[in-house]
Amino acid sequence: KNTEGLAPAKTLKGENGKRIVCVANLRKEKNHFNLVAACKMVLEVHSDWTVHLVGEDKQDEYSEKLKENIKKVNLENNLFIEGAQTNISGILEQCTIGVLSSDSEALPMALLEYGFHNLAVIVTNVGECPYVVKENGWIVPTKDSEALAAAMLEAINNNNLRTTKASHYKEYVKQHYGASAVINKIISVYNQC
């Protein structure tokens, strides 16, 4: 689908309504290894779901070890490294759940993009993530693949809870981070000057 005048988004493998996305460049702080470990547990139960890692792949040591790990745990048919994408909106429109498994963050743009695209969100308890997500998603400890897997399983297994949290999160993000909210904050700053 062509959004924002960009080239059409890559068509992701997997079934509609059964895709999980992680928008994060392939680098150590994003801890994709924690996500892969969680996905191993989740996909053993729900082999019809797919996971898509979207972000810059520098083809470095971290990337190569991550790819080896995905093969080692036999997830090549369900977990895909998509690389950097120019049409993130088009990618997110194909997904149901957005995950961040980072060891450290400030306020990741991906977290806000997940909200604008009505995804259920699962994040680690780092940076601004818990203050933005609040009760509107799942917040898990860092480096805890079992907790991450449990949150993913709850989101997959409980469609009503997942869609309710996603809807509330979308409204929260629009209200606090949407264009009108940002414009009002800028006007307030100018008025104070």
Side-chain angles (χ1 to χ4, degrees):
K1 183 172 181 179
N2 194 345
T3 58
E4 303 163 11
L6 298 173
K10 176 179 185 176
T11 300
L12 300 177
K13 294 180 181 178
E15 296 180 39
N16 286 334
K18 295 185 177 185
R19 293 189 190 103
I20 299 168
V21 67
C22 175
V23 178
N25 293 332
L26 300 186
R27 56 190 177 106
K28 183 179 178 182
E29 299 80 14
K30 303 300 183 178
N31 200 348
H32 294 86
F33 289 89
N34 184 43
L35 180 57
V36 170
C39 288
K40 177 66 176 167
M41 293 178 249
V42 170
L43 296 171
E44 285 176 354
V45 178
H46 293 284
S47 61
D48 53 341
W49 281 69
T50 55
V51 180
H52 305 270
L53 308 182
V54 176
E56 183 182 11
D57 179 357
K58 293 187 177 181
Q59 308 289 327
D60 58 7
E61 183 181 355
Y62 178 85
S63 168
E64 293 310 311
K65 286 184 177 179
L66 180 63
K67 292 169 188 173
E68 288 171 14
N69 185 243
I70 292 168
K71 286 181 184 175
K72 180 181 175 183
V73 296
N74 299 314
L75 292 180
E76 310 99 312
N77 295 321
N78 293 82
L79 198 155
F80 306 99
I81 296 177
E82 307 292 357
Q85 300 292 315
T86 56
N87 189 342
I88 296 297
S89 290
I91 294 289
L92 296 180
E93 287 173 359
Q94 300 175 63
C95 299
T96 303
I97 299 171
V99 178
L100 291 172
S101 57
S102 306
D103 291 339
S104 65
E105 285 286 1
L107 174 56
M109 182 59 76
L111 188 56
L112 301 179
E113 290 171 336
Y114 292 169
F116 286 124
H117 287 85
N118 203 38
L119 300 185
V121 294
I122 302 168
V123 298
T124 47
N125 190 9
V126 294
E128 295 296 311
C129 293
Y131 305 106
V132 175
V133 173
K134 303 180 187 240
E135 69 280 351
N136 301 317
W138 289 263
I139 302 164
V140 300
T142 59
K143 300 177 179 145
D144 188 340
S145 57
E146 290 185 5
L148 183 56
M152 293 167 73
L153 286 168
E154 183 174 32
I156 289 169
N157 292 332
N158 192 331
N159 185 56
N160 288 338
L161 180 62
R162 182 179 74 236
T163 56
T164 298
K165 282 183 179 279
S167 176
H168 289 168
Y169 183 59
K170 180 178 183 175
E171 287 307 310
Y172 179 84
V173 170
K174 281 173 54 179
Q175 183 179 20
H176 294 277
Y177 299 97
S180 61
V182 172
I183 289 168
N184 288 337
K185 288 177 186 175
I186 292 171
I187 290 171
S188 175
V189 169
Y190 282 142
N191 286 338
Q192 290 176 6
C193 293

